[in-house]
Amino acid sequence: MGAPAAAQRLRGRGDAALADEPLLGYGDLWRRWFAQAGVRVTVQEVATFNDAGFMLQAADA
Protein backbone atom coordinates (compact mmCIF):
# COMPACT_ATOMS: atom_id res chain seq x y z
CA MET A 1 0.00 0.00 0.00
CA GLY A 2 1.15 3.51 -0.59
CA ALA A 3 0.16 7.07 -1.25
CA PRO A 4 -1.07 7.92 -4.75
CA ALA A 5 1.69 10.55 -5.03
CA ALA A 6 4.29 7.84 -4.46
CA ALA A 7 2.74 5.72 -7.20
CA GLN A 8 3.09 8.65 -9.60
CA ARG A 9 6.76 9.19 -8.64
CA LEU A 10 7.56 5.51 -9.06
CA ARG A 11 5.72 4.91 -12.33
CA GLY A 12 8.07 3.27 -14.83
CA ARG A 13 11.14 3.44 -12.56
CA GLY A 14 11.38 -0.25 -11.66
CA ASP A 15 11.42 -2.13 -8.37
CA ALA A 16 14.72 -0.68 -7.08
CA ALA A 17 13.23 2.84 -7.05
CA LEU A 18 10.90 1.75 -4.25
CA ALA A 19 13.91 1.58 -1.90
CA ASP A 20 14.25 5.37 -2.19
CA GLU A 21 10.78 5.85 -0.70
CA PRO A 22 9.94 5.84 3.04
CA LEU A 23 9.22 2.18 3.76
CA LEU A 24 6.60 1.36 6.35
CA GLY A 25 6.56 -2.00 8.06
CA TYR A 26 9.18 -4.50 9.12
CA GLY A 27 12.55 -4.33 7.41
CA ASP A 28 12.83 -8.13 7.19
CA LEU A 29 9.66 -8.28 5.10
CA TRP A 30 10.98 -5.57 2.76
CA ARG A 31 14.34 -7.35 2.45
CA ARG A 32 12.51 -10.54 1.42
CA TRP A 33 10.32 -8.61 -1.03
CA PHE A 34 13.30 -7.02 -2.73
CA ALA A 35 15.22 -10.33 -2.77
CA GLN A 36 12.28 -12.09 -4.43
CA ALA A 37 12.12 -9.25 -6.97
CA GLY A 38 15.82 -9.82 -7.67
CA VAL A 39 16.79 -6.35 -6.44
CA ARG A 40 19.82 -5.75 -4.23
CA VAL A 41 19.23 -2.68 -2.07
CA THR A 42 19.76 -1.52 1.50
CA VAL A 43 16.41 -1.40 3.26
CA GLN A 44 15.76 1.43 5.69
CA GLU A 45 12.28 1.13 7.15
CA VAL A 46 10.86 4.35 8.56
CA ALA A 47 8.23 2.99 10.92
CA THR A 48 6.60 -0.24 12.01
CA PHE A 49 3.02 -0.64 13.17
CA ASN A 50 1.08 -3.24 15.11
CA ASP A 51 -2.20 -1.80 13.82
CA ALA A 52 -3.08 -1.97 10.13
CA GLY A 53 -5.28 1.12 10.43
CA PHE A 54 -2.33 3.20 11.59
CA MET A 55 -0.22 1.88 8.72
CA LEU A 56 -2.95 2.85 6.25
CA GLN A 57 -3.06 6.35 7.70
CA ALA A 58 0.72 6.71 7.49
CA ALA A 59 0.80 5.45 3.91
CA ASP A 60 -1.82 7.97 2.89
CA ALA A 61 0.07 10.90 4.43
Side-chain angles (χ1 to χ4, degrees):
M1 72 182 92
Q8 291 297 321
R9 280 193 305 278
L10 293 168
R11 185 173 299 199
R13 293 184 50 211
D15 294 335
L18 185 59
D20 295 332
E21 294 291 318
L23 300 176
L24 303 175
Y26 295 100
D28 288 342
L29 294 174
W30 280 112
R31 282 185 269 288
R32 281 188 275 170
W33 187 92
F34 283 110
Q36 289 178 2
V39 178
R40 298 177 87 179
V41 296
T42 301
V43 172
Q44 297 292 326
E45 74 267 19
V46 174
T48 57
F49 300 87
N50 62 0
D51 182 293
F54 291 146
M55 185 180 284
L56 283 169
Q57 288 177 339
D60 193 38

